[in-house]
């Protein structure tokens, strides 16, 4: 039986072949993710290392690569040294499915749809606010937060906090109305229903981006004097805290709010 050389045998187990991302597309991916010197950019399946090296060179970020092919790992390490960014770029020879992603603030991907689907839950469970940017492929049924096209499609997702469940609010709104909402969530898409001052209430214009949530509700306690209430808050586990602006323009008043998750799903 014909035996393949060791490396060729290994290669058939790689999930995706090496096809490099053009530099203009890399620059667009890093721009779309808003990469700065504070970021750690991790490329999953890093090929010749061009993404982490570009992140370090153009944005002063830390670059991490995860690559299974030892020849590409050696090539990328030499590339980082030649580019003068060896102190900020590290390439790990590892299976991307086993990599520790917790250090990354930005994850870049140029993989295949099947692999993206397999990564979806792992990426969704990363720290809220982590940005994910992909060249060409979507993350299964997780809708992107932004899509751009500079020669190729690039997609951005911001990992949302988990907000599904029953929340009880305290506010400094006049009269301290009671407010309880049940939030439903599919990735960053949220809606909510509940009770405000004893009446049925609904969330409007809800937006979730990382650990930030904004939404509006209608204060209908006095039907002659209704006003929208614009909530913004930061989610931290089972607590959300922020401000609510009641009304607009000269009539606007600003109040504080705090919500506590009282049940993960409606009992
Ligand atoms: C399409 S290339 C993208 C290279 C680079 N990210 C870029 O955009 O230029 C995919 C890379 O993933 C690597 N790869 C495939 N399966 C992998 C796995 N399970 N773990 C780590 N790397 C893998 C391949 O060797 C290849 O270099």
């Amino acid at each position: 039986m014909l035996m393949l050389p060791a490396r060729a045998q290994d290669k058939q187990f790689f999930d995706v072949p090496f096809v490099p991302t053009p530099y203009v597309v890399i620059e667009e991916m890093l721009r779309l993710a808003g990469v700065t010197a504070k970021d750690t950019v991790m490329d999953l399946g890093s090929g010749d290392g061009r993404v982490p090296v570009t992140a370090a060179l153009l944005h002063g970020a830390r670059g991490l690569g995860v690559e299974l092919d030892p020849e590409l790992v050696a090539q990328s390490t030499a590339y980082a040294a030649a580019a003068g960014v060896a102190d900020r770029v590290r390439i790990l020879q590892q299976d991307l499915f086993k990599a520790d992603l917790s250090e990354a603030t930005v994850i870049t991907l140029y993989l295949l749809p099947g692999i993206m689907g397999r990564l979806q839950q792992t990426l969704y469970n990363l720290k809220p606010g982590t940005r994910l940017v992909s060249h060409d492929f979507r993350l299964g049924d997780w809708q992107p937060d932004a899509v751009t096209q500079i020669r190729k499609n690039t997609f951005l997702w911001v990992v949302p906090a988990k907000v599904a469940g029953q929340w009880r609010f305290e506010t400094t709104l006049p009269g301290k109305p009671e407010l309880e909402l049940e939030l439903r969530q599919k990735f960053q898409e949220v809606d909510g229903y509940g009770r405000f001052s004893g009446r049925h209430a609904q969330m409007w214009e809800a937006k979730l981006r990382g650990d930030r949530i904004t939404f509006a509700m209608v204060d209908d306690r006095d039907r002659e004097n209704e006003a929208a209430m614009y909530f913004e808050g930061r989610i931290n586990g089972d607590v959300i805290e922020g401000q609510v602006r009641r009304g607009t323009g000269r009539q606007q008043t600003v109040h504080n709010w705090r919500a506590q998750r009282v049940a993960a799903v409606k009992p």
Side-chain angles (χ1 to χ4, degrees):
M1 192 177 84
L2 179 69
M3 290 295 287
L4 291 166
R7 231 178 72 76
Q9 269 181 348
D10 290 347
K11 284 237 178 201
Q12 61 191 318
F13 294 107
F14 288 7
D15 298 295
V16 192
F18 174 50
V19 181
T21 298
Y23 281 96
V24 283
V25 178
I26 294 176
E27 289 181 29
E28 173 58 10
M29 291 166 79
L30 300 177
R31 187 200 67 79
L32 188 60
V35 172
T36 72
K38 291 191 187 138
D39 281 308
T40 297
V41 177
M42 181 183 252
D43 191 31
L44 293 186
S46 51
D48 63 4
R50 55 181 59 207
V51 177
V53 167
T54 305
L57 260 182
L58 297 190
H59 298 276
R62 285 211 312 132
L64 292 175
V66 179
E67 173 57 58
L68 211 47
D69 184 334
E71 279 179 22
L72 287 170
V73 172
Q75 197 181 320
S76 345
T77 307
Y79 179 31
V85 290
D87 58 331
R88 270 177 288 136
V89 172
R90 194 153 42 97
I91 310 293
L92 310 164
Q93 189 190 331
Q94 214 182 353
D95 182 349
L96 63 89
F97 286 104
K98 297 187 182 134
D100 174 5
L101 311 182
S102 62
E103 256 189 89
T105 55
V106 175
I107 293 184
T108 54
L109 309 136
Y110 182 28
L111 299 166
L112 288 173
I115 311 293
M116 296 290 275
R118 280 168 61 197
L119 280 173
Q120 187 197 65
Q121 272 307 311
T122 306
L123 297 174
Y124 180 51
N125 286 329
L126 289 175
K127 186 168 177 276
T130 306
R131 292 100 82 204
L132 318 169
V133 225
S134 171
H135 167 191
D136 247 0
F137 301 108
R138 290 170 176 264
L139 267 175
D141 59 349
W142 182 356
Q143 292 305 313
D145 290 291
V147 184
T148 61
Q149 226 178 12
I150 306 266
R151 281 207 192 128
K152 305 289 287 290
N153 283 323
T154 50
F155 302 97
L156 170 76
W157 298 262
V158 181
V159 174
K162 308 282 197 305
V163 291
Q166 192 83 14
W167 294 81
R168 193 167 294 146
F169 289 60
E170 282 169 24
T171 72
T172 58
L173 283 160
K176 301 240 166 57
E178 49 77 34
L179 171 58
E180 196 160 307
L181 287 180
E182 182 187 338
L183 302 194
R184 296 183 308 196
Q185 171 172 23
K186 184 180 180 196
F187 301 107
Q188 75 276 46
E189 293 165 39
V190 206
D191 58 19
Y193 300 89
R195 300 195 79 72
F196 177 71
S197 197
R199 303 164 72 92
H200 168 78
Q202 185 176 343
M203 261 178 142
W204 302 97
E205 295 295 326
K207 305 261 179 327
L208 179 60
R209 197 171 169 100
D211 64 357
R212 300 298 179 122
I213 189 164
T214 58
F215 58 93
M217 297 184 68
V218 176
D219 182 351
D220 59 357
R221 285 175 290 171
D222 172 2
R223 298 304 290 265
E224 300 302 311
N225 196 15
E226 291 189 335
M229 300 179 288
Y230 301 91
F231 288 79
E232 53 183 327
R234 174 176 274 191
I235 304 139
N236 185 3
D238 289 330
V239 172
I240 315 178
E241 279 180 299
Q243 290 200 312
V244 48
R245 292 178 162 70
R246 186 188 182 283
T248 57
R250 292 201 176 122
Q251 291 187 334
Q252 189 172 77
T253 53
V254 184
H255 313 271
N256 296 323
W257 65 281
R258 182 179 196 277
Q260 175 84 43
R261 184 164 13 207
V262 289
V265 284
K266 198 174 179 177

